Amino acid sequence: MTESSSVKDAGGQGELLAGGQGELPSGAQGELLLEAFDAQVFRESSESVLAKLEKHLADQAIKGLELVDPARLTEAARSLMTDESTRIAAFDEEKLAAIVDLYVRTGIPVHSPGYMGRQFSGVVPLGGVVDFVSSVVNQPSSFYEAGQLPNVAERIMADELNRFIGWECGSFDMVTTSGGSLANLTALLAARNRRFPEYWTKGGAALQGRGRPAVAVGADVHYSVSRAAGVMGIGEDQLVRLPLNAEQQICVEQAGPALAAAEERGLEVFCLVASAGTTSVGAFDPLDALADLAHERNIWLHVDGAHGASLLVSERLRKKLHGIEKVDSLAWDAHKMMFVPAPCTLLFYRNKEHSRGAFRQKASYVFDEQQDIYTALDSGDKNFECTKRPMIMPLWVLWSMYGRALFAEKIEYLCQLTQDAYDVVAEESDFQTVHRPEANILCFRYVPGTLAPENIHRLQEDIRNKVKFQGNFFISKVNVDGVAALRVVMMNHRITVENFRMLLSEVRKSGQELMAHYEDQRDAQ
Ligand SMILES: *Cc1c(COP(=O)(O)O)cnc(C)c1O
């Protein structure tokens, strides 16, 4: 029986292979097919794209996002699509150039000093080069045989970064995941399966006679954690929100009583999630004290360090994560403060046995029952993804080429800049500070004396939008203690204090225009 007839019989739906001959189309179509995969065409098209990207990176103009009407952008994008529906279209260099231009132009300008808005960063360009290689060689990394170097690089980076965590060599584990949100979900699953070993197979029936599974979090936890609670069937209502202190950190004194009260209510708290750098203000929860508390109560301590774990590589800043060696798991986004292309997240487990606990599942076609020296490096049983981007490669290459100091120097600059920006805000009588920055996130409000208190919240929201549409700066906003605040995230080492003063001027001017408008509205009523 030939290969093609077995395919045919299995499908039972006639020929699956056109013509049944397994031949490429003849003539021009055959040539176009070959050309689409041709090495020289590849090089030529890459070179013109690289020239464009060089220009893009060299542009240091201060600018924010040019937000485009989605209908107009759709139209522009559609106009670049081929009309061919049955035949392979010929390669069109101009079309590629137009597509790349459109792509670059419509993005948040992450390399501009005007970008102070979000946590993903302008990448170290070499990281982009490595990602480009990854896209061409296409070595998904959940299994050693599919991505040999990525899997080895993961093990190396785990050891390299563990130098700043401090676990014993060989005792811990690390797995990469597509983003911090997935890392948080994965760690919570590992924690839940450890406390409720039968939950994976029996589901809710495993809970007979026990309290409802619950997760304790800081009141300001990232939404991915409450989402994980929903996904896992724990239910968002089973999140025990621990009160924060004035610095927006989990208040240790109140955490113990809050956990006890949760148990009284019939909850069984199996995991405590602390943040090492909250998303809103960059606050670091006191890990050392929380680890003691969790240990006393036999609760898994997971640290969401998506934003701030990178501070570990700085001698000056690592004290923010004091006690990190005592925690059970740590999520660390390299696509934030390690400046690599997104996504690249590292999920560490203090006890390597626990890394296999998140997904208790057998699939004989991929998971070898008997490990050998090759399959021992597979991570497919420890991460949710089957096909997974070899996301470690840019990080490993940058680390190999430049060493730790590249990251430490940049992070230290950004945190100092944020301190300086805080000092500037504190000096201005029409601005209000909201917190003392612990890292590179700063929230503040524009509150001139003439502003009616009931308009404070609305004014910050309106200023954020006005600044965004003016297109000189890109900043974000967040509610702190229920009231909106302007939020800057310093991710670019080319931003200066002077740039920040320019932003404040724009905020002030926008605020005054908006307030005049509020008054017009009131007078009109
Ligand atoms: C960004 C962030 C996340 C989410 O990580 P993604 O990589 O965007 O999925 C989770 N927690 C914190 C504290 C974050 O800052």
Side-chain angles (χ1 to χ4, degrees):
M1 194 161 67
T2 65
E3 189 74 20
S4 69
S5 70
S6 78
V7 168
K8 188 168 114 184
D9 292 348
Q13 311 165 327
E15 293 291 353
L16 287 178
L17 301 173
Q21 306 299 324
E23 273 175 21
L24 290 179
S26 58
Q29 283 291 285
E31 273 166 33
L32 286 173
L33 176 57
L34 292 174
E35 194 188 283
F37 289 83
D38 183 73
Q40 192 183 335
V41 172
F42 162 73
R43 183 176 54 74
E44 285 165 7
S45 55
S46 314
E47 278 170 359
S48 60
V49 169
L50 288 180
K52 282 188 182 301
L53 292 179
E54 180 187 359
K55 225 171 116 201
H56 172 63
L57 288 175
D59 179 4
Q60 283 300 307
I62 297 176
K63 57 185 168 189
L65 174 64
E66 179 200 335
L67 203 58
V68 188
D69 174 352
R72 262 185 52 217
L73 185 54
T74 305
E75 201 182 310
R78 280 216 168 271
S79 75
L80 292 166
M81 295 171 69
T82 179
D83 296 330
E84 289 287 3
S85 60
T86 53
R87 296 180 319 147
I88 302 172
F91 175 66
D92 178 343
E93 204 179 325
E94 274 171 34
K95 188 173 279 184
L96 177 66
I99 289 172
V100 174
D101 281 340
L102 190 64
Y103 198 178
V104 168
R105 188 162 59 78
T106 52
I108 296 175
V110 291
H111 296 94
S112 162
Y115 169 65
M116 304 183 191
R118 297 230 180 271
Q119 295 164 284
F120 53 88
S121 68
V123 301
V124 188
L126 187 63
V129 174
V130 179
D131 229 21
F132 179 84
V133 176
S134 291
S135 293
V136 174
V137 300
N138 203 16
Q139 299 183 3
S141 72
S142 288
F143 301 95
Y144 180 76
E145 65 179 25
Q148 302 188 69
L149 188 58
N151 275 287
V152 164
E154 282 192 9
R155 306 276 51 88
I156 293 174
M157 279 317 293
D159 286 337
E160 289 290 308
L161 295 179
N162 176 57
R163 286 179 10 221
F164 310 99
I165 301 173
W167 293 320
E168 203 174 306
C169 183
S171 67
F172 68 96
D173 203 0
M174 186 281 284
V175 59
T176 57
T177 68
S178 307
S181 304
L182 188 55
N184 286 339
L185 172 63
T186 306
L188 282 172
L189 280 167
R192 187 203 60 187
N193 292 346
R194 177 157 162 257
R195 177 70 75 87
F196 303 94
E198 299 196 307
Y199 204 114
W200 188 265
T201 43
K202 296 211 169 97
L207 302 175
Q208 294 283 322
R210 300 187 64 161
R212 296 198 303 287
V215 177
V217 299
D220 203 12
V221 74
H222 187 263
Y223 76 85
S224 60
V225 174
S226 37
R227 178 175 289 184
V231 170
M232 291 163 69
I234 290 169
E236 283 194 17
D237 288 352
Q238 275 60 245
L239 284 187
V240 178
R241 292 188 180 268
L242 305 175
L244 305 181
N245 62 22
E247 313 300 326
Q248 308 289 320
Q249 306 155 329
I250 292 177
C251 175
V252 181
E253 291 73 32
Q254 294 182 56
L259 290 171
E263 260 156 50
E264 296 276 295
R265 296 203 307 275
L267 300 180
E268 185 171 344
V269 177
F270 63 88
C271 186
L272 166 60
V273 179
S275 301
T278 55
T279 308
S280 52
V281 303
F284 286 72
D285 290 329
L287 301 184
D288 197 54
L290 290 174
D292 292 342
L293 183 69
H295 189 77
E296 268 164 36
R297 295 178 168 264
N298 192 27
I299 294 173
W300 179 300
L301 177 58
H302 172 64
V303 175
D304 178 356
H307 184 79
S310 301
L311 268 60
L312 281 170
V313 306
S314 157
E315 281 306 322
R316 178 136 53 96
L317 296 165
R318 52 168 295 115
K319 56 178 184 287
K320 292 275 166 213
L321 291 103
H322 179 62
I324 189 67
E325 72 286 353
K326 295 191 197 169
V327 313
D328 293 288
S329 52
L330 166 68
W332 181 340
D333 274 359
H335 58 260
K336 289 178 177 166
M337 297 277 273
M338 302 286 272
F339 322 110
V340 300
C344 175
T345 301
L346 295 84
L347 171 59
F348 283 91
Y349 294 91
R350 180 166 49 86
N351 179 341
K352 71 175 175 197
E353 303 305 329
H354 294 160
S355 65
R356 280 178 206 285
F359 307 105
R360 291 159 174 263
Q361 214 175 10
K362 290 199 163 50
S364 60
Y365 55 92
V366 281
F367 305 132
D368 279 344
E369 309 265 299
Q370 297 288 328
Q371 280 191 350
D372 56 30
I373 59 163
Y374 311 107
T375 56
L377 271 80
D378 291 352
S379 64
D381 55 347
K382 301 182 227 167
N383 52 242
F384 185 77
E385 305 96 321
C386 177
T387 305
K388 183 175 72 171
R389 210 160 161 77
M391 61 189 90
I392 199 72
M393 291 306 288
L395 181 64
W396 175 65
V397 173
L398 293 175
W399 192 267
S400 305
M401 305 276 291
Y402 297 116
R404 176 192 74 99
L406 177 75
F407 306 94
E409 293 287 344
K410 176 157 175 168
I411 292 168
E412 286 169 13
Y413 175 80
L414 296 174
C415 292
Q416 184 60 49
L417 171 68
T418 310
Q419 271 294 328
D420 296 346
Y422 170 86
D423 293 341
V424 170
V425 173
E427 277 165 20
E428 303 287 335
S429 61
D430 50 350
F431 281 88
Q432 183 185 75
T433 57
V434 169
H435 69 118
R436 276 195 168 276
E438 291 194 66
N440 60 331
I441 301 178
L442 177 66
C443 298
F444 57 95
R445 301 191 181 100
Y446 178 61
V447 189
T450 51
L451 179 66
E454 67 271 19
N455 280 338
I456 294 178
H457 179 82
R458 172 186 173 198
L459 182 65
Q460 314 310 309
E461 293 195 324
D462 289 348
I463 290 175
R464 193 266 162 167
N465 285 335
K466 194 166 164 64
V467 168
K468 183 169 83 175
F469 283 108
Q470 281 160 189
N472 298 316
F473 290 93
F474 186 86
I475 60 171
S476 48
K477 67 145 180 62
V478 68
N479 287 353
V480 181
D481 298 328
V483 181
L486 302 170
R487 173 174 175 266
V488 300
V489 186
M490 300 297 195
M491 295 300 285
N492 185 346
H493 57 284
R494 289 207 174 93
I495 301 173
T496 61
V497 178
E498 203 38 52
N499 296 144
F500 182 72
R501 286 187 197 278
M502 290 163 68
L503 168 69
L504 285 194
S505 303
E506 176 148 338
V507 166
R508 178 181 285 127
K509 188 160 171 284
S510 306
Q512 284 166 359
E513 284 165 18
L514 286 159
M515 283 167 64
H517 181 63
Y518 293 171
E519 272 160 30
D520 292 349
Q521 278 181 335
R522 202 192 48 208
D523 294 346
Q525 272 169 12

